[in-house]
Structures are given as C-alpha cells and as structure tokens.
Amino acid sequence: MQSCTYLIVGASHAGLAAADAIRMIDPASPLILASRDSHLPYSPTILPYVVSGRSKAERTALRSEAFFKEKSITFLRQAQLQSINAEKGLAHFDQGTSIRFDKLLLATGAAPSLPAIPGLGDVAFHVLRTMDDALGLKTAMKGARRALVLGAGLIGTHAAENMAEAGMTVSIVEPQMQLLPGYFDSQASSLIEKAFEGHGIDLKFGRSVASLKPGVAVLDDGQDVPFDLLLIATGVRPALSYLDGSGIRIDRGILVDERQRTNLPAVWAAGDCAQVRLFQSEGTGVAGILPMAVEQGRIAGQGMVDDEGQKPFPGAVSLNTYSFFGQQAISVGAGISGADSPGTETVLRFDEGAKTYLRLVLKEDRLVGAASVNHPLDPGILWQLILRQTDLSDVKERFLADPKTTGRLLMSRLWR
Amino acid sequence: MGAFNSLTYNATICLGCGECMMACAKAKSGDADRFDQSRIKIVPAGDNKFEAALCRQCGDAKCVMNCPAGALTKNAASGVVDWNADLCVSCLLCTVGCAYGSITFESSVGHVAKCDTCGGDPACVKVCKSGALGYVTTASIYNDYGKQEDLFAPGLAACQGCNSELMIRHVLRRVGRNVVVAAPPGCIPGMGTVGYNGKAGAKVPIFHPLLTNTASMLAGLKRTYERQGRDVTALALAGDGGASDVGFQSLSGAAERGEHILFLCFDNEGYMNTGMQASSATSFGSWTSTTPVGDKLQGKRTDAKNLPMVMMMHNAAYVATASSVFMEDFYRKLDKALAASKQGFAYLHLYAPCPSGWRFPASLTIDVCRLMVESNFVTLWEYTPETGLVFTRPTDKPKPLESYLKAIGKYRHLAQEQVDRIKKLLEDRLAMLKRFVR
Amino acid sequence: MTALSKPGKVVVLDGNEAAAKGVALARPDVVAVYPITPQSSLVEHLSSLIASGELDAELMNVEGEHSVLSALQGAALAGARTYTATSGPGLAFMFEPYIRQPGLRLPMVASLVTRDTLTPQCVWGGHQDAMLVRECGWIHMYCETVQEILDSVIMGYKVAEHPEIMLPVNVNHDGNYLSFGVTRCEIPEQALVDDFLGPKNINWHAALDPERPMSVDPLTGNAGGAGPSMFVRYRKGQTEAMAHALDIIAEVHADWAARTGRHHAPLVEEYRLEGAEVALITLGSMTGAAKDCCDALRAGGRKVGVIKVKTYRPFPVAAMARALSQVKAVGVMDRSVSYGWNSGPMHQDTLSTLGKTGLRMPCLSFIGGLAGADITEAHFERAYDAVFKAASGDMPPGPLWVNEKD
C-alpha cells in the first residue's frame, strides 16, 4: 500500500494550489496528488476553448510531469476515490488501490447535474466537465448540423458560441428570461443576447424541455426542437457518494470552516466540492468558481503544513469574467443581477448603441458589487474593495465616474 | 529560489509627467501616444500627487494561479510573470486575481497585457526624470554572492540592528578565502570575529592587530606575500576610532607608501564597543559618554574629522564612501577597491549607524542609513587619482537635515544654533568636496 | 675546534655598520627602518646594502617605530625573517608592539643602539632605554666589541628561531662608543652563515596564511571558553622558553665558535677571577676599560677581576653565581638607574642572584656612563677601591655615582 504525508484528491485549481502551498513549507514529505482523469491537470474552465479549437488539448496542462518530479509529487491518474476511512487514514480508490495518508485534502470538484427529463436515458447527449467530454463534443460537432443547448449559464453559452462559430445552427433553452441569470441583470444580458442573436443563435427563454426523443426535444409549450447534438449545461454539483459512511459532514457540499477543515481532524476540503462561508450573505454555499477554488486550495494546503502565514477564508465572493464574440463582461460581488435591495445606491450607465453597460452598487459608501459589459474594470481591485469594505466616501464621486482609475489609485496607496 | 530584479515606484516624488507611459506605449506598440497600450499606469491622486498601477511580478502570483490555460507562468530565471499569447483564451480570470490593476484587458489591445520589464531593461525607468521609477538590480547580489560561502561563523554577537555584521559578511563573501583579515579592537572583534579563548570567529586567517597598527601590520604581511609571489588580499575591518584617531598614523603612512591594502573603515562615530565614547569622527553636537549633555556642555564641541576626505588627500589608488542602504553602489565600490588594492592603497569608508550608541530603534538602522545619505549628512562618492572625485548619489535635492537629526536620540538635545552649525558645516563640506570634481 | 673554522674577510668599520653587515649575512626577508640617533647610520647602511642588491630584502621605510615593529610582526606572521634597530625614544614609541612580540612567539632580531632616556633631553649613550624594557619578554644580549655585534646579530637569529625558544632577541650595543667606534672586524663568509643558520623557522606555530587559516591572538583569558587556564598556559610556556634560552644561547655560541674560531662568552664572562678577592660586574662596551684597569691593578698585585654580563635577559643566575662564588665582594657598574631601588638595575639582579644562591658578600652599586659619559680606567680603579673597602666592612649607604664630579 502506498502511504504519504499528504494526499490530495483532485488535480484542478484547488488541489494544485494546495500542493504549491504545502511544497512552499515542506519540500520533501511524500505528497500524492490523485486525479480521476487520465490527463495531466487541467482546468474545467478551459474546456469550451478546447471544443472551439482555440486551445489544443495537449497544451492545456497546468503542470507537467517534470514539475511533479522536481517537486517530489506523485501524480496518480485514473484514480477515482471510492471511500474514506479517516480514522485509519485510508483512502480507497477504484480497482482496489488504497493509500494511507496523514492528511487528506478533498478537492474532487463537481459533476454535471442532470435534469429529470423523461426520455433522457434514451437519447445521446453531451456534458462538458472533463477533457474527455470536451474531446467527445468536439468530435460530435463534426457530423452535426443542429445543436441544442440546455441552460444559459457560462458553460452553455460558451459552448453555444463555439458551435455557432463552427457553423452549426444552435438553440439555447433556458427556463429564466435571460442569458447568464445570476451573473448579470436583464439589461446587461440584453447586450450579450444581441451578440448571440446576431450570430444566429436561437434563444428560447422562459421555457424548458418537457421530454426527449432521439433527435427531438419537446418543450413545455409543445414546440418540437430537432437536434443532431444535445448539450446539457444545467449546472454542476459536487459528487460526494464516496463520503458515505466516512463520518464527514456534508450538505450541498462538504462542510468546512474558514480554514477549510472538515469536521474530521485530518481532512480538509476545498474548491467546487466544498461548502464555504459566503462573504456577502449569511450562511454557506458552494462557490463553484475558479478564483475561489484557488483561494480555498491554498488555505487548505497551508493548514495541512501548519504554515503560520495561513489566513482564514474571508468568504466567497461572486467573481465572473465572460468573453463572448470578442466582447467582455465582468461581474463582481452582489446586488448586480436583480432589482436594487434596500439601502443600496446604484449607478447605472447603459449605452445600447455603444454596447456598453456599467452598474456599480454601493452601500454606506462601500462597494457591494459591480458589473460591466465592454467597460473595462479591474475585477481584482474591486474584489479587494469589497473584502476590505473600503470606505469610498472621500473619493466617491471619482469612483462612480471612473471606477478603474480610482480603484488603481486606492490600491496603489494601500499597497505602499 | 533566487532573488529577482524589480521595478520600483516612489509616489512621493512622481511628477505625473507621463513620460513612462509614453515610453511603454512606444516600446509595446510603436506608438507613444497610445496610452492605452502602456503597461504602467500613472493615475492622478489629486493635489498634484500621483499613484501607479504596475506589475509587481509577484512571487506567488494570483494571476498565474487563476489562469486556466497555463498562459501565465512565473519565469524562474527572470522572475517576470510571462504571458503567452498562444495559450491565452482571453477569459480575464487573471484580472480577477490581480489586486494591483496590473494585468488588465484593454479592448484596443485585444488581450490582457502586463509589464514584461522589457526583458530586464525597462523603457519607463530610462525616461523617468524625477527618479520615481527605479529598476532595482540588487537581486544579482543575492543571487551571485548568496551562493558564496559566508566566511564568518554563524552567531556573531553584534548588537541588534548593527549593520556592520551584515556588511562584513557581504565583504568576505565577495573577497573570498584568499585573504588575511585584520580586525583591530572595536565592535568587529567585539562581536566575536577574531574568536575567544581558542575558538575562531572566521573561516579565514584573521587577527587582532593593535588599535594603532592595523595598516602597518597588514603592510608588512602583504609585502612578505608579494615577495613570496603570492597574491593574498590584505583586508582591514577597522572602526573609525582605530582609523581616524590612534590608528591614523599607521593608516596615513600605509596610504602614503601605497601599500597594497584594502582598508575598510566602519564609521559609527565613536568607540561604541567600549561604551559609546567620542572619537574624532563623532559628529558635532553628538551625545556620547565622553561628550555628555548638561548645563555646561551640550554634546561634542568639535566637528567630525572627515577621514575619507583626508584619505583622498593621500592620493590613494581608490577612496570611496558607501552605505549599506545602497548595496549595488557598495558592491561596485568594493569591487573597485579590491582591484585597486592590488596596485595601491584602497580605502572604503562605510557608514554604520549604531542603534545602541546613537539611540534609535534597532529596527530603523537601514532607514537611518538612508536618511543620512538623502539628507546629505554624508555623501557617497569615490575618488581615484585618474578621475578625481565623482559623486555616486545625487546631492542636489537633500531631504531636510532635521528629518535625519530627529530620527536619532544622540541629537535630541540640540539647540537651533547647533543645528545651524551642522547645516553650515555640511554645506561647506559639500562645497569642498565638489572642488575635487573634475 | 679552531682548526675547522674559516677566516673571514677583515675590515675596519664601526658598530652600526658591523650590525648591518651581520644582518645582511643573516638574509632577512623584510627590514623596516626609521632613523634615530645614534642608530641612524645602521639603517642607512642597511638601506644601502638593499639598494645595491647586496642584501635581497624588502625595505620598508615606514613612518615611525610603532609601525616599524608592527609591519615586521605582520611580515613574520606571513613567514618573513625580519630585522630592525632603534634607540631611546624610538624604543619608547615602539613599546606597544614591542611588548606584544614575545607573546606572539615571533622570532626576530632587533638591535638596540642604547641611549639614555628623556628627560633631561639627551641624545647620547646609556643603557636606560634597554633597561626599561628588560621585563617585556625579549632576550637581551649586550655586546662589548664591534666584532661581537656582528657575530651576535647572526647568533641572535639562531637563538630566536630555535623551535624550543621562538622569542625575539635584542642585540644591544652602546650608542656612541660602539655605534660610532671604528675597529677591526672579521666578516664571515656567506656560506658559513647560511650553513650556521639553516632554514628559516618563523611562523610554523602562528601564521596568517590562507593556506593555513587560523585566528591569531583571539581574546584569551578571563573565565569564558577554555577558562583562565589557556592564558596561564601561554604565559607559563613563554616564561619556560625564556629560561630554557640560556642553554640554547650557550649552544649557539659554542657552535659559532666552532665555525669561526671566535669565542664570545654566551652568558657571563669571568675575567681574571682566579684568586680574585673582588670583582666588578660590567655590561657592554665599558668592559674594555674595566679589563684594562683590572690588568693594571693585577700588575700591581691587587687581586681583582671582571665579570661581564653578555646575556642580561634571561638573567644567567647559575653562571653569575659561579662567578660570584670566587670573590669576597663585588661591585656592579650600571649605565642606568632603577628608580624604585635607588641603585642600578643590574645591581638588583646581582643581589637577587646572591639571595637565590645563598651567597653572602658586600655588593655595591655604581652608576656611571649616563648620557654618554666616559667610564675610564681611573673610574674603575676608584670603584675597585670602594669594593675593597666594602669587603672590609665599610659599606656606602647608597649607590656611588661615577661621573658625579666629571
């Protein structure tokens, strides 16, 4: 049986950030990084670009074999975690492999959540969460003309754009009344939707698929939508069946404290599988976005190696960047996707002709959220302003007029 | 991991002229007027003040960690966070990671852009008139000399905050093992360099000359090695007392004879090792234990002897002043002094503010070093018979002298007339030094 | 033994030049010079020898006697055989490195061209300068003649560099009388001297050499580290080497005599002590006049002798006791004073020798020849008279000042 000091299950952003943090302090103790995948570590975020061909699958690796060798990290591929016995420090993988560990990080990510649509079991469909999914979808696109995408989130819209650019006829079915609900308000989305419609993508809002038959989806309004290729992008959720009987507490994800510790002493969790505190609202949730996975992974790794520099996770903040048809959209923080909440102050600048949009939301002269389309912002600075709850009263006018320059001014002062 | 060179920005002296942005835009796009193409962004902060957004080339860069495409990497050789256009998918997640506004998407550029330090020769720094932008290349000191063996024993017992221990370790790393070190009585042997009761403090030959005879003892030693055909560096690590007071005769004699010696004087303005008594190098007005402050006396009544100037008058092969706050300057001078000491007498005067004796917090030594230079309390220069005197730090825009005097407890009692006298002295001294500039 | 010796070249020269010739024959590596009366012509001669190439040595014209000896200490720590010469105030200025040299166990030869000390201001001969440094740990040998100067400088190196000794040697000759007195002198062949001295033996024990890195003379003593014992060990070793030097000095003189045919008493010379009732003890050039006086008095039937001290430090107690045991009373002619004892320094050494060996006899102190004053045969005759009187019970209360009425 292999044994190690540190076992990290999951080799995407959270797992890699944890490995880096561990190796910063402890360059030698045995560290195993286990991936269920057969590829070198990659980011799920890159997959739409693999589908489009902009990224070559073989050039998406976030770490090389040489890196693992240099850092004395054992990288295990095709290791699907089956169960954990935390008391004995044992992790059991498929094909009967077991690893003994002193400290364990679960960074197993999420899996597509499939809607309960009658007939789904009878049709061929695609999801987009793994490299093999991406390569499969890319191959399928070659013989297909009509694509149907379920869900207008980031994965669905990215894929739809790629398929449209590849010359396919694309439809998106989304139960809500806009693209990217939750990230942008309807006005911002309208600019994005215009681009989609301009590229011939059929947007079917306020509808869902009632049933599926081979080659045809029947919508809840009775419309038949034929397709050669079906992509389901209705969201992801952690797949945690391996935790059955482990004693590790879960809810929607693995419950962790602000130092990414689970309820068991030698087990940490981070990234899309972890349910963490939220910065801008009560309670906890699964953040499911890349920068949060990086943060959490690093904090977990620091905790595993007793790094005195560890700082607690301040809570998840929604941070999204979105590029579409050569245009850019950014959303940071809260209060930017729906109606104004009480006590907030909103500045909105919308220019349909220029295709620009900016929404800044402040509360008590502190930034709550910001969203923009084709309006340059520094999301990293805005994130800091939110986390630090920076009092903007002295520069409010300037900030509202020019958030980018003013943000840079504030940060330059702060970091000096 | 090695150290890296880096761009620095000093907001307090930035004029906001924008030359740096034009230079960057020109370097990156060929068009100096395309400010949006500049990777350094100077932003107005009101009251004619300015701030900057520029890449720190973070060691643990979040832009790199956030990149899903592997397009951003920390270059282990240069320290620059490199951006690879081929791999970038313009997802902008890097911009989420950067708290400095330094990797940024400009639609006119069409992709994210960040500072690449122009391959180690940043265009912005070259055009900066105010000196607000700098390119600190001291990393090479760490990288090159950090690998050299530290030839002093670990755990020398220098006072907290003493820069002399730091400096002597630097010096020996650079000079290497083929050396004989003379450390006359004072702080440097006091911290244990020469050893105690059968234990050595250095890995090289080292000895305690008399306080009085460092230069002459080394001279005899060096002449003997030259007679034997051996090239051994003769190195003195002396204090200002042993150099400017009781050891001055032998120092002057050795300089006059052009003995092949590298003589380093650590100037802490007095006999600090024995309890902070005044020397001839103690500055006017200083409190010391032999120039106390009371109703009748208010500190030292005479001006400091300026030993480096005196050594210059010996027409020594190389004379320079240096400070531990300008390490590149120090290393350059050390190299020159070392080379000069093969042909003649080389004298290097190092300013060594003493937290214990001067009464300032041990954590502020480097700040005090900086202030004493920037206020022109001391000036950094070098002299060779061929070049005359050359200032190696500008002296034209000194910080107020008070900012230096106020930082140090030994001047706390100074009356305005005393401060005025010091000012006058410094002005006269600078004027005198300038007359040696060719 | 004389049959083995080779005669050298005979020349006429003064004591300073003889010292310089002796130094040149000993082939030092580094010579540091600073002029002072009455030593100046010595370093001038040496400088000329180096300038002409006759002596291949590094000449250091340093800025004072302090640096002279300092430079030579540095040179010795790099392995150099070294030499210098000084006098009076120069020796005083050299004092700080001077007292350090024996502790470093660095062998060398330095000539003291003896001179009376200030004040009153004076530039003439006397032993006061050398006497002031008699307790510093240097070996002190006093010469009687120009020839003895040359021979003793060479022998000095052999003593200094002896591995059981490793101490500096002062070869002293009287300012004015010997420094400028011109007499016959035999110069040995270089090969003879080379063979006599053998290889240099300077810094095997303490070196400043990157090939043998060591810390030379770190702080030692007090209670830290190895404790007080280390300091005691150094001091005791130095003192024992000093005592042992008497044997080595005798061996070296015998060796020199075998090679050159010139016999110099190594420690104490007994002159006409057979049947003597009283003797005078002398040091340096005054011995010649003392011997002449002794011869004259002997011719007149008076039973007198001379005891000449050659090696003054370490003090040759046994040799001195052997000489003293042959007489009933003794007088000591000092060319310096011991302020603390109201007598001459060598008088005190003689009293100590008597005390140490259990001999009892009247022992008078004469102080003469200060500031270049001549001690003539007449002076010595009067001294003998005083010793005879003391032998019969008429002991003066204090020292007798020889030139008091000159």
Side-chain angles (χ1 to χ4, degrees):
Chain A
M1 189 189 303
Q2 276 186 286
S3 65
C4 61
T5 308
Y6 311 103
L7 173 60
I8 297 173
V9 184
S12 192
H13 290 285
L16 294 172
D20 287 346
I22 289 169
R23 279 295 179 246
M24 193 81 89
I25 300 291
D26 178 355
S29 300
L31 193 168
I32 295 175
L33 182 65
S35 169
R36 67 180 175 203
D37 221 300
S38 58
H39 301 274
L40 281 168
Y42 60 88
S43 172
T45 305
I46 202 68
L47 298 176
Y49 305 96
V50 174
V51 173
S52 73
R54 180 157 177 180
S55 295
K56 302 265 177 293
E58 64 277 13
R59 293 188 70 194
T60 58
L62 296 174
R63 301 289 187 277
S64 63
E65 289 288 6
F67 170 85
F68 291 127
K69 193 168 178 202
E70 187 199 325
K71 296 286 182 183
S72 304
I73 293 172
T74 305
F75 179 58
L76 287 186
R77 304 182 202 224
Q78 291 175 296
Q80 177 83 45
L81 185 57
Q82 300 290 339
S83 65
I84 294 167
N85 184 336
E87 212 163 86
K88 292 187 175 168
L90 286 174
H92 302 292
F93 293 84
D94 54 350
Q95 298 164 354
T97 314
S98 294
I99 295 175
R100 190 186 303 283
F101 62 84
D102 295 337
K103 298 177 182 185
L104 170 66
L105 172 64
L106 299 170
T108 53
S113 84
L114 299 177
I117 301 172
L120 182 63
D122 303 327
V123 299
F125 66 90
H126 293 267
V127 294
L128 188 51
R129 185 65 189 179
T130 67
M131 186 59 72
D132 291 339
D133 293 342
L135 296 172
L137 179 58
K138 194 174 183 207
T139 306
M141 279 164 62
K142 280 175 188 154
R145 218 165 36 78
R146 292 166 304 180
L148 173 61
V149 177
L150 306 191
L154 289 168
I155 295 284
T157 54
H158 264 302
E161 177 181 337
N162 295 336
M163 290 189 282
E165 293 284 68
M168 297 171 73
T169 305
V170 183
S171 298
I172 301 177
V173 175
E174 165 60 47
Q176 298 196 48
M177 295 308 294
Q178 64 169 87
L179 281 180
L180 302 167
Y183 301 117
F184 296 100
D185 66 11
S186 55
Q187 214 163 19
S189 284
S190 70
L191 292 178
I192 304 170
E193 287 156 14
K194 277 220 170 58
F196 273 68
E197 284 161 354
H199 284 79
I201 297 171
D202 178 26
L203 303 173
K204 298 177 186 304
F205 291 146
R207 276 170 281 177
S208 54
V209 177
S211 66
L212 284 163
K213 288 179 282 192
V216 181
V218 182
L219 305 190
D220 52 1
D221 62 357
Q223 187 188 351
D224 280 357
V225 183
F227 63 83
D228 307 322
L229 188 157
L230 173 63
L231 174 68
I232 298 183
T234 51
V236 297
R237 65 171 168 236
L240 301 173
S241 58
Y242 63 81
L243 289 177
D244 293 349
S246 67
I248 294 173
R249 282 215 297 270
I250 62 170
D251 178 26
R252 278 158 290 160
I254 303 168
L255 292 169
V256 294
D257 66 7
E258 75 283 358
R259 294 177 190 276
Q260 306 301 132
R261 293 176 294 205
T262 69
N263 59 307
L264 295 186
V267 184
W268 285 257
D272 291 2
C273 69
Q275 186 168 333
V276 296
R277 68 201 284 192
L278 304 175
F279 187 74
Q280 292 184 295
S281 58
E282 296 296 315
T284 57
V286 176
I289 54 174
L290 192 161
M292 292 300 121
V294 169
E295 288 295 295
Q296 294 173 30
R298 174 156 58 177
I299 292 166
Q302 288 175 324
M304 292 167 80
V305 77
D306 292 323
D307 184 345
E308 289 173 8
Q310 189 201 40
K311 290 195 178 73
F313 184 60
V317 175
S318 178
L319 300 164
N320 292 286
T321 56
Y322 179 58
S323 292
F324 59 99
F325 297 109
Q327 301 177 58
Q328 287 76 35
I330 291 166
S331 83
V332 179
I336 38 152
S337 62
D340 290 345
S341 44
T344 60
E345 183 181 348
T346 295
V347 167
L348 192 65
R349 281 199 282 280
F350 179 60
D351 184 334
E352 196 169 0
K355 297 187 211 164
T356 61
Y357 162 94
L358 174 68
R359 179 170 173 172
L360 300 170
V361 183
L362 274 68
K363 188 171 185 177
E364 292 162 358
D365 292 340
R366 286 164 171 81
L367 184 66
V368 172
S372 75
V373 179
N374 295 326
H375 191 298
L377 289 175
D378 293 318
I381 288 179
L382 300 177
W383 181 19
Q384 287 296 321
L385 292 176
I386 291 170
L387 280 182
R388 291 164 186 271
Q389 299 178 300
T390 305
D391 184 354
L392 299 171
S393 47
D394 287 346
V395 293
K396 191 169 158 188
E397 294 293 308
R398 282 189 66 182
F399 182 76
L400 294 177
D402 185 356
K404 190 173 82 169
T405 304
T406 313
R408 288 173 178 177
L409 157 67
L410 292 169
M411 283 300 117
S412 176
R413 270 191 197 146
L414 178 70
W415 298 123
R416 193 167 327 118
Chain B
M1 196 160 71
F4 302 115
N5 299 334
S6 61
L7 272 165
T8 58
Y9 174 69
N10 182 349
T12 58
I13 56 174
C14 177
L15 302 170
C17 66
E19 293 283 346
C20 54
M21 293 169 68
M22 290 169 69
C24 184
K26 171 96 174 147
K28 299 307 164 197
S29 73
D31 184 351
D33 294 330
R34 292 281 308 278
F35 268 36
D36 53 345
Q37 294 278 358
S38 174
R39 285 119 193 240
I40 176 170
K41 318 280 187 185
I42 302 295
V43 294
D47 295 335
N48 221 20
K49 299 244 187 309
F50 299 88
E51 296 288 343
L54 79 160
C55 181
R56 267 75 168 168
Q57 319 292 353
C58 301
D60 194 15
K62 280 200 188 174
C63 58
V64 174
M65 295 167 87
N66 276 2
C67 179
L72 288 163
T73 44
K74 176 80 174 172
N75 186 316
S78 68
V80 170
V81 173
D82 289 330
W83 173 74
N84 183 333
D86 287 346
L87 295 178
C88 179
V89 297
S90 283
C91 70
L92 312 191
L93 281 166
C94 51
T95 69
V96 176
C98 183
Y100 308 105
S102 305
I103 183 162
T104 173
F105 181 86
E106 293 284 352
S107 53
S108 59
V109 180
H111 54 72
V112 292
K114 68 175 295 298
C115 170
D116 58 5
T117 72
C118 298
D121 187 21
C124 52
V125 176
K126 281 188 271 195
V127 298
C128 180
K129 291 191 290 268
S130 66
L133 282 173
Y135 190 61
V136 177
T137 54
T138 39
S140 61
I141 292 171
Y142 179 92
N143 292 338
D144 296 348
Y145 298 116
K147 292 187 203 106
Q148 303 292 320
E149 191 179 6
D150 183 353
L151 292 169
F152 282 110
L156 295 179
C159 296
Q160 193 177 36
C162 173
N163 74 342
S164 300
E165 179 183 347
L166 179 78
M167 298 298 266
I168 62 173
R169 289 185 189 276
H170 274 286
V171 168
L172 270 202
R173 277 179 197 265
R174 172 68 191 87
V175 172
R177 279 183 175 270
N178 190 24
V179 67
V180 173
V181 180
C187 293
I188 289 169
M191 66 177 81
T193 55
V194 184
Y196 183 47
N197 261 352
K199 293 201 166 52
K203 299 175 188 173
V204 296
I206 186 167
F207 70 107
H208 241 143
L210 301 167
L211 187 55
T212 43
N213 73 356
T214 308
S216 46
M217 207 165 162
L218 274 181
L221 178 123
K222 178 70 178 178
R223 294 251 199 136
T224 303
Y225 279 124
E226 288 187 343
R227 183 176 161 79
Q228 293 169 5
R230 289 177 61 187
D231 179 19
V232 174
T233 299
L235 173 67
L237 303 176
D240 56 282
S244 68
D245 282 349
V246 74
F248 179 70
Q249 177 177 321
S250 71
L251 173 62
S252 173
E256 176 271 324
R257 294 189 302 274
E259 302 285 1
H260 300 176
I261 292 173
L262 175 51
F263 196 103
L264 268 60
C265 174
F266 294 81
D267 181 1
N268 58 16
E269 295 192 11
Y271 298 94
M272 297 312 175
N273 186 53
T274 46
M276 303 142 199
Q277 299 87 4
S279 77
S280 62
T282 305
S283 54
F284 172 79
S286 293
W287 170 90
T288 70
S289 55
T290 53
T291 57
V293 175
D295 289 344
K296 305 273 187 187
L297 300 172
Q298 287 81 39
K300 188 168 179 246
R301 290 177 283 178
T302 55
D303 299 327
K305 181 194 284 184
N306 190 323
L307 190 57
M309 202 189 309
V310 175
M311 296 316 292
M312 173 172 67
M313 300 308 287
H314 284 73
N315 214 27
Y318 187 77
V319 179
T321 61
S323 168
S324 56
V325 81
F326 300 105
M327 289 301 282
E328 281 182 287
D329 181 64
F330 166 68
Y331 264 93
R332 204 177 47 75
K333 288 169 175 170
L334 180 60
D335 282 349
K336 284 190 180 182
L338 190 56
S341 75
K342 306 292 175 190
Q343 276 88 43
F345 193 83
Y347 177 84
L348 201 46
H349 193 89
L350 300 167
Y351 295 105
C354 169
S356 311
W358 294 15
R359 299 182 166 177
F360 62 83
S363 59
L364 293 184
T365 306
I366 299 301
D367 299 76
V368 168
C369 285
R370 184 180 294 281
L371 265 177
M372 79 193 298
V373 172
E374 292 185 343
S375 67
N376 277 1
F377 189 82
V378 298
T379 51
L380 300 187
W381 50 266
E382 63 186 351
Y383 168 88
T384 67
E386 296 75 33
T387 61
L389 186 147
V390 177
F391 286 99
T392 58
R393 290 279 311 169
T395 58
D396 49 345
K397 283 186 205 155
K399 285 191 173 156
L401 174 65
E402 287 81 358
S403 64
Y404 173 66
L405 298 178
K406 280 190 179 130
I408 296 161
K410 69 170 178 166
Y411 300 120
R412 192 168 296 139
H413 60 281
L414 289 188
Q416 188 57 46
E417 312 86 78
Q418 289 175 294
V419 174
D420 292 343
R421 171 168 169 173
I422 298 173
K423 272 187 191 161
K424 176 79 168 54
L425 170 78
L426 297 181
E427 281 164 15
D428 292 349
R429 182 162 286 171
L430 183 58
M432 195 190 292
L433 285 171
K434 281 180 175 169
R435 287 201 283 275
F436 291 96
V437 178
R438 304 237 170 106
Chain C
M1 278 175 88
T2 43
L4 297 171
S5 64
K6 285 170 71 178
K9 195 169 90 177
V10 175
V11 295
V12 171
L13 38 65
D14 67 18
N16 279 352
E17 189 173 0
K21 294 275 189 208
V23 171
L25 287 165
R27 297 188 197 261
D29 299 292
V30 183
V31 172
V33 300
Y34 187 85
I36 185 167
T37 302
Q39 162 264 38
S40 299
S41 65
L42 197 169
V43 296
E44 289 165 11
H45 283 302
L46 262 181
S47 303
S48 302
L49 290 171
I50 294 170
S52 69
E54 196 174 325
L55 169 57
D56 171 21
E58 184 67 25
L59 174 66
M60 295 185 73
N61 298 85
V62 299
E63 80 293 341
E65 291 88 348
H66 192 286
S67 283
V68 162
L69 193 54
S70 299
L72 295 180
Q73 283 175 10
L77 285 164
R81 181 177 282 171
T82 59
Y83 175 81
T84 193
T86 192
S87 286
L91 177 60
F93 186 39
M94 190 186 277
F95 186 65
E96 196 188 14
Y98 182 87
I99 58 176
R100 192 181 200 199
Q101 181 104 10
L104 288 167
R105 305 297 294 272
L106 289 175
M108 77 174 292
V109 170
S111 292
L112 297 184
V113 187
T114 56
R115 171 175 162 178
D116 228 317
T117 59
L118 314 183
T119 247
Q121 182 70 256
C122 117
V123 296
W124 302 283
H127 290 158
Q128 195 70 42
D129 55 354
M131 284 297 162
L132 289 179
V133 297
R134 67 189 184 276
E135 294 302 344
C136 292
W138 286 62
I139 291 168
H140 279 240
M141 296 196 290
Y142 285 76
C143 299
E144 178 187 348
T145 63
V146 167
Q147 183 71 59
E148 192 173 14
I149 294 169
L150 184 145
D151 292 344
S152 296
V153 163
I154 297 167
M155 288 191 287
Y157 283 103
K158 183 96 175 175
V159 173
E161 295 177 20
H162 193 286
E164 291 162 20
I165 305 302
M166 299 301 287
L167 288 169
V169 174
N170 281 142
V171 176
N172 304 345
H173 64 265
D174 293 357
N176 303 44
Y177 291 99
L178 284 174
S179 63
F180 307 141
V182 175
T183 65
R184 176 193 189 280
C185 184
E186 192 175 318
I187 313 284
E189 299 260 332
Q190 182 66 58
L192 184 151
V193 176
D194 289 347
D195 188 58
F196 170 72
L197 287 179
K200 273 181 292 206
N201 190 31
I202 311 290
N203 70 340
W204 53 272
H205 63 303
L208 289 168
D209 185 343
E211 288 173 10
R212 295 187 278 153
M214 64 175 83
S215 188
V216 170
D217 208 9
L219 277 179
T220 304
N222 206 298
S229 63
M230 182 171 276
F231 194 93
V232 173
R233 199 156 70 243
Y234 281 127
R235 271 284 192 274
K236 193 175 165 201
Q238 189 183 332
T239 311
E240 286 170 354
M242 195 73 171
H244 182 47
L246 291 170
D247 303 332
I248 304 305
I249 290 167
E251 275 176 25
V252 166
H253 278 69
D255 186 11
W256 184 251
R259 291 167 191 263
T260 64
R262 286 193 294 281
H263 297 266
H264 304 285
L267 308 176
V268 171
E269 181 185 349
E270 299 175 4
Y271 187 77
R272 303 191 77 166
L273 286 188
E274 326 78 56
E277 289 176 6
V278 303
L280 285 173
I281 301 175
T282 62
L283 192 65
S285 64
M286 70 170 82
T287 309
K291 286 175 176 170
D292 286 349
C293 175
C294 173
D295 291 346
L297 293 179
R298 277 278 185 171
R302 300 183 72 186
K303 294 175 176 171
V304 298
V306 175
I307 302 171
K308 179 188 100 169
V309 174
K310 165 76 180 286
T311 299
Y312 179 64
R313 283 292 180 272
F315 196 74
V317 175
M320 194 67 168
R322 194 167 55 242
L324 288 170
S325 66
Q326 301 171 55
V327 297
K328 296 191 181 77
V330 71
V332 184
M333 186 65 75
D334 276 292
R335 282 193 77 182
S336 59
V337 300
S338 165
Y339 297 106
W341 284 101
N342 188 24
S343 75
M346 196 161 61
H347 179 241
Q348 291 306 316
D349 294 306
T350 309
L351 290 176
S352 294
T353 303
L354 292 171
K356 194 166 183 179
T357 52
L359 292 167
R360 290 185 66 83
M361 67 183 69
C363 177
L364 274 70
S365 173
F366 299 94
I367 295 171
L370 301 184
D374 198 2
I375 312 175
T376 61
E377 286 182 52
H379 288 123
F380 279 112
E381 190 173 345
R382 287 201 288 278
Y384 277 121
D385 292 343
V387 179
F388 273 114
K389 278 170 74 179
S392 54
D394 185 4
M395 190 70 190
L400 300 171
W401 296 81
V402 172
N403 305 100
E404 200 172 7
K405 291 167 185 163
D406 293 348

